[in-house]
Amino acid sequence: MTIQSDPKAITQFSTMQALLAGLYDGVFNLREVTGFGTIGLGCGHALEGEVILLNGKCYNALPDGKLVRMQPDDQVPFAEIARFDPDVRFSVDQAIGKDGLVKLITSRVRSANLFIALRVVGQFDFVKIRRVRRQNKPYKPFIDAVAVQEEETIEACSGTLVGFWAPQVYQGVTVAGLHVHFIDSDKQRGGHVIDLAMKHGEVAMESFNHFDIRLPSSEGFRKADLENPDFDAHIRSAEG
Ligand SMILES: [Zn+2]
């Protein structure tokens, strides 16, 4: 097999372990991050808000409920981005929940070993989202930071889910399973999806053999303890 340079990759900036360890300072410039694709997700500096990249435009769903366009000079502590060129598209005509959506997505890829980027434009009975508040130094661990997150259930809405599905073995490096953020069709509200019920929708997705990680060059990252046996439980609790 010949391995060549590959523009077709999911690129992740920092890791879930780093977030769990409290590395919330924005260390990646958004201008640089968005050069790696057109769809994705992340979180804001100091963990403030839930970042959504859709069709090359970057938004932050702030904890007070406002959705704002981000600026190229904004810094983010974590982001996951894909050069999205979906090769699988299908319609969902029946009502399904989050688990049903995961089953549909993974069955279409026919592998539990690849990374998947996806975009789902749909009509929803509800989308339950969360938005993390801005953290102050000294930063609390992630599990404590999200304990006071803002949660909202948006009922009877249309909008887009953007994000990824990752195999279980990468839990900690990224979020294993489904990790999607929501933005409504009016670009007024959004957040990290905790749960959902979709009436119908259009799924576009693409599987990736190439997952690229950019680690922070910060002093904080170099010195962080990233081996915590509780991290798996923390991710399941915080990101589920
Ligand atoms: Zn998220």
Side-chain angles (χ1 to χ4, degrees):
M1 188 173 94
T2 309
I3 298 177
Q4 297 171 325
S5 72
D6 185 4
K8 293 298 303 171
I10 292 172
T11 305
Q12 186 179 286
F13 295 82
S14 194
T15 65
M16 272 309 296
Q17 287 112 338
L19 280 187
L20 291 166
L23 298 175
Y24 307 148
D25 279 341
V27 290
F28 297 104
N29 188 274
L30 203 62
R31 184 181 285 106
E32 181 194 358
V33 167
T34 54
F36 285 79
T38 51
I39 72 165
L41 50 75
C43 55
H45 170 69
L47 218 54
E48 184 179 33
E50 308 287 340
V51 172
I52 303 134
L53 179 67
L54 179 62
N55 302 330
K57 291 181 181 155
C58 209
Y59 305 86
N60 194 357
L62 296 172
D64 65 3
K66 287 200 189 80
L67 190 85
V68 298
R69 275 294 292 275
M70 295 185 78
Q71 302 303 314
D73 288 331
D74 286 346
Q75 302 275 115
V76 294
F78 175 93
E80 188 173 358
I81 307 293
R83 295 193 197 283
F84 194 53
D85 184 17
D87 50 5
V88 176
R89 294 171 185 270
F90 59 94
S91 300
V92 179
D93 297 322
Q94 86 269 33
I96 54 170
K98 194 175 164 193
D99 291 346
L101 183 61
V102 169
K103 277 198 187 116
L104 279 177
I105 288 163
T106 51
S107 68
R108 294 290 175 133
V109 172
R110 297 196 203 95
S111 172
N113 300 329
L114 298 174
F115 292 86
I116 302 169
L118 63 132
R119 182 185 63 213
V120 183
V121 180
Q123 188 74 37
F124 299 86
D125 282 323
F126 75 86
V127 182
K128 185 178 180 188
I129 54 176
R130 73 107 196 275
R131 296 180 285 258
V132 179
R133 291 183 195 166
R134 185 185 182 91
Q135 302 297 303
N136 297 308
K137 290 186 174 181
Y139 291 141
K140 286 187 283 216
F142 193 76
I143 193 75
D144 299 324
V146 300
V148 289
Q149 65 194 5
E150 304 296 331
E151 290 187 3
E152 182 184 8
T153 300
I154 307 174
E155 296 185 350
C157 58
S158 60
T160 305
L161 305 171
V162 181
F164 302 91
W165 183 91
Q168 188 57 44
V169 290
Y170 301 100
Q171 177 80 307
V173 172
T174 188
V175 176
L178 188 71
H179 180 197
V180 288
H181 287 188
F182 175 75
I183 181 167
D184 76 349
S185 52
D186 295 331
K187 311 280 191 293
Q188 296 293 313
R189 289 182 291 183
H192 168 99
V193 175
I194 299 170
D195 198 9
L196 62 88
M198 187 167 81
K199 283 167 96 166
H200 54 83
E202 299 294 323
V203 179
M205 53 188 241
E206 183 177 9
S207 58
F208 286 83
N209 296 68
H210 185 170
F211 184 77
D212 202 12
I213 304 175
R214 306 283 165 135
L215 298 175
S217 55
S218 62
E219 178 86 1
F221 184 79
R222 285 201 293 272
K223 292 189 170 166
D225 177 8
L226 302 178
E227 295 197 25
N228 182 329
D230 296 331
F231 276 177
D232 178 54
H234 288 180
I235 296 173
R236 287 171 189 275
S237 163
E239 301 292 307

